[in-house]
Amino acid sequence: MARKKIALIGAGMIGGTLAHLAAQKELGDVVLFDIAEGIPEGKGLDIAESSPIDGYDSHLKGSQDYKDIAGADVCIVTAGVARKPGMSRDDLLGINLKVMKSVGEGIKTHAPNALVICITNPLDAMVWALQKFSGLPANKVVGMAGILDSARFRYFLAEEFNVSVESVTAFVLGGHGDTMVPLVRYSTVAGIPLPDLIEMGWTTQAKIDAIVDRTRKGGGEIVALLKTGSAYYAPAASAIQMAECYLKDKKLVVPCAAQLSGQYGLNDLYVGVPIVLGADGCERIVEVKLNKDEKAMFDSSVAAVHELMDACVKLDPSLG
Ligand SMILES: NC(=O)c1ccc[n+]([C@@H]2O[C@H](COP(=O)([O-])OP(=O)(O)OC[C@H]3O[C@@H](n4cnc5c(N)ncnc54)[C@H](O)[C@@H]3O)[C@@H](O)[C@H]2O)c1
Ligand SMILES: O=C(O)C[C@H](O)C(=O)O
């Protein structure tokens, strides 16, 4: 069986990390596409030169020509700009919307059968625009954010309880901004929900509230530390989990930005919800039962996403 093909649109900090992980895991051959000359070629060659040491077979190619992504099974999009300290993700909208237009056209022409995983921020509005610009079916265009936000939540909880990260499950829903909704009731240690762990004296409500707040601001915490850009190791690991899940038809239930068509009473919008991710892409959207407070938080997160979509339509009326 021929190897699968993974196209990485954007070969910056996340793109390079994605290429390394995809090659190491032998998910397939990798094409790094970027408008910056030399960067995708250099990163591809550097990673390929590590393959004899680590023992993996994957062909890596750098390119400035969309023809090289032809027939890709998966396209992971990080093209655009990242924020720096003092900026919000929303400040990236103007520049990155134009980038999504050219990327959407490139994918539509050369890789129309791929699963497209968008990472570029502001995530929910960018994946929504990318789906429209590419014209690919909505089940084949998904956004990565919820796995990352949930991983941050899980990591902070594992630290608090001094248990393995593998024993902690957590779900973060909503838009990928400060209004995201870490679901405390649905987050567990070995199946025991956090409210029960508070009752058992393992932690306090105040500590969980602080962890929820830190999770919401997790991206900004890394930006403030790095100063030159934003997180890339955990974002890349999250997108690789999605790509692997699709290629192996694993049907993991993971939070991703997916297009809603009636679920949660919403239509024609992308927002973070649990989905079943398998060989058909987004195979099912899971409608979690939310209580009054959770619903209010979800609604305010959705309102923030709608505002960004309106801003996109103002900039590019073809999206209206
Ligand atoms: N969804 C998430 O959870 C999440 C997490 C981290 C970062 N991000 C976002 O991902 C994006 C990429 O982050 P990064 O750290 O890799 O940034 P980066 O600046 O290191 O890389 C971006 C790359 O995109 C390239 N690029 C710009 N315009 C392009 C175009 N038209 N076509 C092809 N390539 C183009 C640049 O040359 C650059 O190499 C940012 O928007 C960032 O905010 C999202
Ligand atoms: O915070 C950012 O700007 C990047 C990304 O969205 C993140 O959450 O790490």
Side-chain angles (χ1 to χ4, degrees):
M1 193 169 68
R3 287 190 205 152
K4 298 292 184 189
K5 181 166 172 177
I6 323 288
L8 306 174
I9 317 294
M13 299 310 289
I14 305 177
T17 314
L18 286 169
H20 198 190
L21 289 174
Q24 278 186 328
K25 285 175 172 271
E26 293 187 330
L27 291 188
D29 290 334
V30 177
V31 175
L32 293 113
F33 173 93
D34 202 293
I35 50 169
E37 265 180 50
I39 300 288
E41 292 85 349
K43 289 193 180 184
L45 182 58
D46 187 16
I47 293 167
E49 287 168 357
S50 77
S51 63
I53 304 162
D54 284 342
Y56 55 81
D57 288 297
S58 172
H59 184 257
L60 292 113
K61 180 183 171 75
S63 173
Q64 284 77 45
D65 188 343
Y66 269 111
K67 283 191 190 125
D68 285 319
I69 74 162
D73 297 285
V74 177
C75 292
I76 308 182
V77 178
T78 59
V81 289
R83 66 171 160 156
K84 299 217 167 64
M87 295 171 80
S88 92
R89 296 178 182 94
D90 303 352
D91 296 333
L92 310 171
L93 186 138
I95 297 180
N96 287 350
L97 183 64
K98 285 192 195 129
V99 174
M100 290 306 100
K101 190 161 197 162
S102 65
V103 171
E105 281 158 10
I107 292 175
K108 181 186 194 163
T109 310
H110 299 284
N113 297 317
L115 175 79
V116 178
I117 301 170
C118 180
I119 301 186
T120 302
N121 272 322
L123 189 271
D124 307 270
M126 291 304 101
V127 64
W128 170 78
L130 183 62
Q131 189 274 328
K132 288 199 181 294
F133 289 139
S134 68
L136 266 62
N139 61 306
K140 298 293 285 294
V141 182
V142 284
M144 187 297 289
I147 296 179
L148 171 66
D149 297 327
S150 303
R152 287 179 174 147
F153 195 24
R154 290 172 65 194
Y155 175 69
F156 301 149
L157 289 169
E159 271 196 319
E160 163 63 8
F161 295 123
N162 194 23
V163 298
S164 163
V165 289
E166 290 183 272
S167 296
V168 182
T169 62
F171 266 117
V172 177
L173 305 190
H176 181 56
D178 295 350
T179 59
M180 69 180 72
V181 189
L183 283 181
V184 170
R185 272 190 326 131
Y186 288 104
S187 302
T188 75
V189 173
I192 308 167
L194 293 186
D196 292 9
L197 290 161
I198 295 172
E199 272 183 31
M200 288 156 62
W202 275 46
T203 186
T204 62
Q205 186 64 53
K207 283 185 177 165
I208 295 298
D209 290 347
I211 288 174
V212 164
D213 189 54
R214 188 177 179 195
T215 301
R216 286 204 176 105
K217 296 175 182 155
E221 183 176 1
I222 305 279
V223 171
L225 289 166
L226 294 181
K227 295 182 184 67
T228 50
S230 52
Y232 49 98
Y233 292 116
S238 306
I240 288 293
Q241 183 180 52
M242 291 170 70
E244 190 168 13
C245 185
Y246 168 74
L247 292 170
K248 296 184 179 171
D249 191 22
K250 281 179 74 78
K251 303 191 196 296
L252 278 183
V253 181
V254 276
C256 296
Q259 193 190 66
L260 301 185
S261 48
Q263 301 89 349
Y264 295 91
L266 297 162
N267 274 297
D268 188 31
L269 128 139
Y270 272 79
V271 73
V273 288
I275 68 168
V276 177
L277 187 57
D280 284 333
C282 175
E283 297 188 349
R284 181 176 179 175
I285 289 173
V286 183
E287 282 192 80
V288 183
K289 207 169 158 200
L290 301 176
N291 66 24
K292 208 168 137 236
D293 290 348
E294 292 157 352
K295 171 92 171 53
M297 287 190 279
F298 186 70
D299 287 349
S300 101
S301 193
V302 165
V305 174
H306 268 135
E307 260 181 50
L308 292 174
M309 289 162 60
D310 290 346
C312 288
V313 175
K314 272 198 190 122
L315 290 169
D316 190 327
S318 74
L319 289 166

